[in-house]
Protein backbone atom coordinates (compact mmCIF):
# COMPACT_ATOMS: atom_id res chain seq x y z
CA UNK A 1 0.00 0.00 0.00
CA UNK A 2 1.31 3.47 -0.86
CA UNK A 3 1.89 5.83 2.04
CA UNK A 4 -0.33 8.49 0.50
CA UNK A 5 -2.99 7.54 -2.01
CA UNK A 6 -5.17 9.62 -4.23
CA UNK A 7 -7.65 8.79 -6.96
CA UNK A 8 -5.86 9.98 -10.11
CA UNK A 9 -9.13 10.96 -11.81
CA UNK A 10 -9.78 12.77 -14.00
CA UNK A 11 -12.84 14.22 -12.40
CA UNK A 12 -14.80 15.89 -15.20
CA UNK A 13 -17.37 18.31 -13.82
CA UNK A 14 -19.44 21.17 -15.24
CA UNK A 15 -18.97 24.73 -14.09
CA UNK A 16 -20.84 25.41 -10.88
CA UNK A 17 -20.62 21.83 -9.63
CA UNK A 18 -19.39 20.79 -6.22
CA UNK A 19 -16.59 18.24 -6.26
CA UNK A 20 -14.69 16.48 -3.49
CA UNK A 21 -11.41 14.59 -3.41
CA UNK A 22 -10.05 12.34 -0.72
CA UNK A 23 -6.51 11.42 0.14
CA UNK A 24 -5.68 8.52 2.44
CA UNK A 25 -2.47 8.16 4.42
CA UNK A 26 -1.05 5.09 6.06
CA UNK A 27 1.01 6.52 8.93
CA UNK A 28 -1.25 7.23 11.87
CA UNK A 29 1.45 9.45 13.43
CA UNK A 30 1.22 11.96 10.58
CA UNK A 31 1.18 15.49 11.87
CA UNK A 32 0.83 18.03 9.10
CA UNK A 33 -1.30 18.01 5.99
CA UNK A 34 -1.54 20.26 2.96
CA UNK A 35 -3.29 20.52 -0.36
CA UNK A 36 -1.28 21.84 -3.29
CA UNK A 37 -2.51 22.76 -6.72
CA UNK A 38 -0.42 22.05 -9.81
CA UNK A 39 -1.22 23.37 -13.26
CA UNK A 40 0.07 21.45 -16.23
CA UNK A 41 3.89 21.39 -16.28
CA UNK A 42 4.13 24.09 -13.65
CA UNK A 43 5.28 24.11 -10.06
CA UNK A 44 2.97 23.01 -7.26
CA UNK A 45 1.52 25.89 -5.28
CA UNK A 46 0.11 25.72 -1.80
CA UNK A 47 -3.67 25.78 -1.85
CA UNK A 48 -4.30 25.36 1.84
CA UNK A 49 -3.11 23.70 5.00
CA UNK A 50 -5.46 21.21 6.62
CA UNK A 51 -6.24 21.71 10.29
CA UNK A 52 -7.69 19.18 12.69
CA UNK A 53 -10.90 21.15 13.08
CA UNK A 54 -11.30 21.61 9.33
CA UNK A 55 -10.87 24.91 7.55
CA UNK A 56 -12.38 26.90 4.75
CA UNK A 57 -10.96 29.37 2.28
CA UNK A 58 -13.60 30.82 0.00
CA UNK A 59 -14.99 28.03 -2.14
CA UNK A 60 -12.50 25.50 -0.76
CA UNK A 61 -12.98 23.41 2.36
CA UNK A 62 -10.39 21.02 3.76
CA UNK A 63 -11.07 18.41 6.39
CA UNK A 64 -9.06 15.87 8.33
CA UNK A 65 -10.41 12.57 9.57
CA UNK A 66 -7.76 11.05 11.85
CA UNK A 67 -9.82 8.01 12.77
CA UNK A 68 -10.07 6.93 9.14
CA UNK A 69 -6.75 8.48 8.14
CA UNK A 70 -7.83 10.64 5.29
CA UNK A 71 -8.03 14.28 4.32
CA UNK A 72 -10.51 15.77 1.93
CA UNK A 73 -10.83 18.80 -0.30
CA UNK A 74 -14.23 20.15 -1.29
CA UNK A 75 -14.59 22.70 -4.07
CA UNK A 76 -17.91 24.48 -4.38
CA UNK A 77 -19.18 26.36 -7.42
CA UNK A 78 -16.38 25.04 -9.66
CA UNK A 79 -14.78 27.47 -12.10
CA UNK A 80 -12.99 26.69 -15.34
CA UNK A 81 -9.86 28.04 -13.67
CA UNK A 82 -10.05 25.29 -11.04
CA UNK A 83 -8.94 22.78 -13.67
CA UNK A 84 -5.63 21.44 -12.36
CA UNK A 85 -4.08 18.55 -10.49
CA UNK A 86 -4.52 18.60 -6.73
CA UNK A 87 -1.72 17.11 -4.66
CA UNK A 88 -2.09 15.84 -1.15
CA UNK A 89 1.01 16.31 1.04
CA UNK A 90 1.59 14.61 4.37
CA UNK A 91 4.35 15.16 6.91
CA UNK A 92 4.45 11.94 8.92
CA UNK A 93 5.73 13.29 12.21
CA UNK A 94 7.36 16.30 13.78
CA UNK A 95 10.99 16.60 12.73
CA UNK A 96 10.32 14.42 9.72
CA UNK A 97 11.01 16.94 7.02
CA UNK A 98 12.94 14.30 5.14
CA UNK A 99 9.84 12.15 5.11
CA UNK A 100 7.51 14.61 3.41
CA UNK A 101 5.23 12.51 1.24
CA UNK A 102 3.30 13.57 -1.83
CA UNK A 103 0.35 11.88 -3.35
CA UNK A 104 0.46 11.40 -7.10
CA UNK A 105 -2.38 13.88 -7.51
CA UNK A 106 -6.02 14.03 -8.56
CA UNK A 107 -6.77 15.67 -11.87
CA UNK A 108 -9.81 17.94 -12.09
CA UNK A 109 -11.25 19.15 -15.41
CA UNK A 110 -14.05 21.71 -15.23
CA UNK A 111 -15.96 22.18 -18.47
CA UNK A 112 -18.45 24.86 -19.60
CA UNK B 1 9.21 39.33 -4.57
CA UNK B 2 9.66 36.19 -2.46
CA UNK B 3 10.59 33.35 -4.75
CA UNK B 4 12.57 30.24 -5.51
CA UNK B 5 14.48 30.52 -8.77
CA UNK B 6 15.69 27.53 -10.75
CA UNK B 7 17.80 27.52 -13.88
CA UNK B 8 17.66 26.40 -16.56
CA UNK B 9 13.96 25.78 -17.29
CA UNK B 10 14.73 23.28 -20.03
CA UNK B 11 17.84 21.20 -20.56
CA UNK B 12 18.65 18.54 -23.12
CA UNK B 13 21.92 16.71 -22.68
CA UNK B 14 23.66 13.46 -23.51
CA UNK B 15 24.53 10.55 -21.29
CA UNK B 16 27.60 11.16 -19.15
CA UNK B 17 27.90 14.91 -19.58
CA UNK B 18 28.02 16.54 -16.16
CA UNK B 19 25.42 19.19 -15.48
CA UNK B 20 24.27 21.46 -12.67
CA UNK B 21 20.82 22.85 -12.04
CA UNK B 22 20.89 25.93 -9.87
CA UNK B 23 18.38 26.88 -7.19
CA UNK B 24 18.24 30.09 -5.21
CA UNK B 25 15.73 31.43 -2.68
CA UNK B 26 15.41 34.95 -1.29
CA UNK B 27 13.23 34.18 1.73
CA UNK B 28 16.02 33.30 4.17
CA UNK B 29 14.56 29.81 4.48
CA UNK B 30 16.50 27.21 6.43
CA UNK B 31 15.20 24.18 4.56
CA UNK B 32 15.73 23.45 0.90
CA UNK B 33 15.15 20.31 -1.10
CA UNK B 34 15.10 18.81 -4.55
CA UNK B 35 12.33 16.69 -6.03
CA UNK B 36 11.77 14.88 -9.24
CA UNK B 37 8.32 14.33 -10.69
CA UNK B 38 7.48 11.46 -12.99
CA UNK B 39 4.06 10.48 -14.36
CA UNK B 40 2.07 8.35 -11.94
CA UNK B 41 4.72 8.56 -9.23
CA UNK B 42 4.19 12.01 -7.81
CA UNK B 43 7.03 14.06 -6.41
CA UNK B 44 9.91 12.16 -4.87
CA UNK B 45 12.57 13.78 -2.76
CA UNK B 46 16.15 13.52 -4.00
CA UNK B 47 18.08 15.44 -1.35
CA UNK B 48 17.29 17.95 1.33
CA UNK B 49 19.19 20.43 3.44
CA UNK B 50 18.30 21.72 6.87
CA UNK B 51 20.94 24.44 6.91
CA UNK B 52 24.27 25.52 5.48
CA UNK B 53 26.63 22.56 5.13
CA UNK B 54 23.91 20.16 6.32
CA UNK B 55 22.50 17.91 3.63
CA UNK B 56 20.98 14.45 3.60
CA UNK B 57 19.55 11.91 1.20
CA UNK B 58 15.90 11.75 0.34
CA UNK B 59 14.12 8.82 -1.24
CA UNK B 60 15.90 8.74 -4.61
CA UNK B 61 19.43 10.15 -4.19
CA UNK B 62 21.31 7.78 -6.51
CA UNK B 63 23.08 9.60 -9.32
CA UNK B 64 22.73 13.04 -7.74
CA UNK B 65 24.83 15.33 -5.58
CA UNK B 66 24.04 18.58 -3.82
CA UNK B 67 25.85 21.25 -1.86
CA UNK B 68 24.75 24.00 0.51
CA UNK B 69 27.61 26.42 0.91
CA UNK B 70 25.32 29.41 1.33
CA UNK B 71 21.87 29.60 2.81
CA UNK B 72 20.22 30.87 -0.35
CA UNK B 73 21.68 28.41 -2.88
CA UNK B 74 21.19 24.68 -3.27
CA UNK B 75 22.48 23.38 -6.62
CA UNK B 76 21.71 19.89 -7.92
CA UNK B 77 24.59 18.15 -9.66
CA UNK B 78 24.39 15.19 -12.01
CA UNK B 79 27.95 13.96 -12.42
CA UNK B 80 27.13 11.43 -15.13
CA UNK B 81 23.51 11.78 -16.27
CA UNK B 82 21.68 8.77 -17.60
CA UNK B 83 18.39 8.49 -19.55
CA UNK B 84 16.50 7.34 -16.44
CA UNK B 85 17.16 10.78 -14.97
CA UNK B 86 14.97 12.35 -17.63
CA UNK B 87 12.34 14.02 -15.50
CA UNK B 88 10.81 17.26 -14.25
CA UNK B 89 12.82 18.63 -11.33
CA UNK B 90 11.68 21.03 -8.65
CA UNK B 91 13.62 22.85 -6.02
CA UNK B 92 11.72 23.88 -2.90
CA UNK B 93 12.34 25.82 0.28
CA UNK B 94 10.58 26.05 3.60
CA UNK B 95 10.84 28.27 6.66
CA UNK B 96 10.80 25.36 9.08
CA UNK B 97 10.57 21.59 9.13
CA UNK B 98 6.80 21.42 8.99
CA UNK B 99 5.99 24.59 7.11
CA UNK B 100 4.58 24.61 3.59
CA UNK B 101 7.02 24.29 0.74
CA UNK B 102 7.64 27.01 -1.82
CA UNK B 103 8.61 25.59 -5.17
CA UNK B 104 10.73 26.86 -8.01
CA UNK B 105 9.21 26.82 -11.48
CA UNK B 106 10.84 23.57 -12.48
CA UNK B 107 13.55 22.24 -14.78
CA UNK B 108 12.62 19.79 -17.49
CA UNK B 109 15.65 17.61 -18.13
CA UNK B 110 16.02 15.22 -21.04
CA UNK B 111 19.01 12.89 -21.16
CA UNK B 112 19.56 11.11 -24.47
Amino acid sequence: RKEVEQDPGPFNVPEGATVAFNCTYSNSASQSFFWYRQDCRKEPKLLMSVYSSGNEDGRFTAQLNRASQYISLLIRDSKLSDSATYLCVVIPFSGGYNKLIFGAGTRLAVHP
Amino acid sequence: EAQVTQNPRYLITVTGKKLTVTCSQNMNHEYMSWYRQDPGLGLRQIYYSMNVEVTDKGDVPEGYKVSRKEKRNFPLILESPSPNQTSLYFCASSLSEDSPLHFGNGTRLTVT
Side-chain angles (χ1 to χ4, degrees):
Chain A
R1 181 186 173 189
K2 289 183 182 177
E3 292 186 77
V4 175
E5 291 199 74
Q6 295 183 252
D7 182 339
F11 284 59
N12 293 301
V13 302
E15 275 186 289
T18 296
V19 61
F21 315 131
N22 283 345
C23 164
T24 59
Y25 59 94
S26 60
N27 189 333
S28 60
S30 297
Q31 294 289 332
S32 299
F33 309 88
F34 307 95
W35 283 105
Y36 277 75
R37 171 198 167 120
Q38 186 175 24
D39 294 301
C40 187
R41 301 184 183 189
K42 295 198 171 178
E43 74 275 22
K45 292 185 178 177
L46 178 67
L47 180 65
M48 57 199 304
S49 302
V50 185
Y51 302 122
S52 297
S53 55
N55 47 300
E56 192 173 300
D57 183 1
R59 298 181 293 109
F60 299 85
T61 300
Q63 293 198 311
L64 167 63
N65 185 318
R66 284 197 182 274
S68 300
Q69 293 181 207
Y70 73 87
I71 65 172
S72 64
L73 178 67
L74 180 81
I75 305 175
R76 289 180 298 277
D77 188 22
S78 300
K79 312 290 185 193
L80 295 175
S81 57
D82 294 333
S83 297
T85 297
Y86 291 84
L87 307 178
C88 166
V89 182
V90 175
I91 299 180
F93 50 86
S94 182
Y97 182 84
N98 54 315
K99 292 296 184 185
L100 195 71
I101 300 170
F102 286 79
T106 297
R107 195 154 67 87
L108 172 65
V110 182
H111 57 82
Chain B
E1 181 190 350
Q3 59 186 2
V4 179
T5 304
Q6 283 179 239
N7 279 297
R9 291 292 309 276
Y10 301 93
L11 181 57
I12 300 174
T13 190
V14 296
T15 299
K17 187 175 180 182
K18 181 180 177 180
L19 65 92
T20 299
V21 184
T22 63
C23 174
S24 180
Q25 51 94 5
N26 62 0
M27 295 170 279
N28 202 36
H29 283 173
E30 301 259 326
Y31 293 84
M32 297 186 74
S33 54
W34 277 101
Y35 293 85
R36 61 178 288 174
Q37 186 175 33
D38 302 289
L41 295 178
L43 283 108
R44 293 178 293 167
Q45 191 181 63
I46 303 170
Y47 268 94
Y48 70 100
S49 169
M50 290 185 286
N51 212 328
V52 174
E53 303 293 3
V54 181
T55 64
D56 208 345
K57 296 176 180 178
D59 296 319
V60 288
E62 294 77 21
Y64 304 95
K65 284 174 57 177
V66 293
S67 69
R68 188 95 181 269
K69 294 189 172 68
E70 306 164 279
K71 198 171 187 178
R72 63 182 293 125
N73 295 323
F74 191 46
L76 179 69
I77 303 156
L78 284 73
E79 293 272 2
S80 183
S82 61
N84 65 11
Q85 293 178 298
T86 292
S87 188
L88 178 58
Y89 291 86
F90 289 104
C91 178
S93 72
S94 171
L95 183 63
S96 65
E97 60 189 4
D98 56 1
S99 299
L101 295 175
H102 298 260
F103 286 89
N105 51 14
T107 296
R108 187 166 290 279
L109 171 66
T110 301
V111 184
T112 60

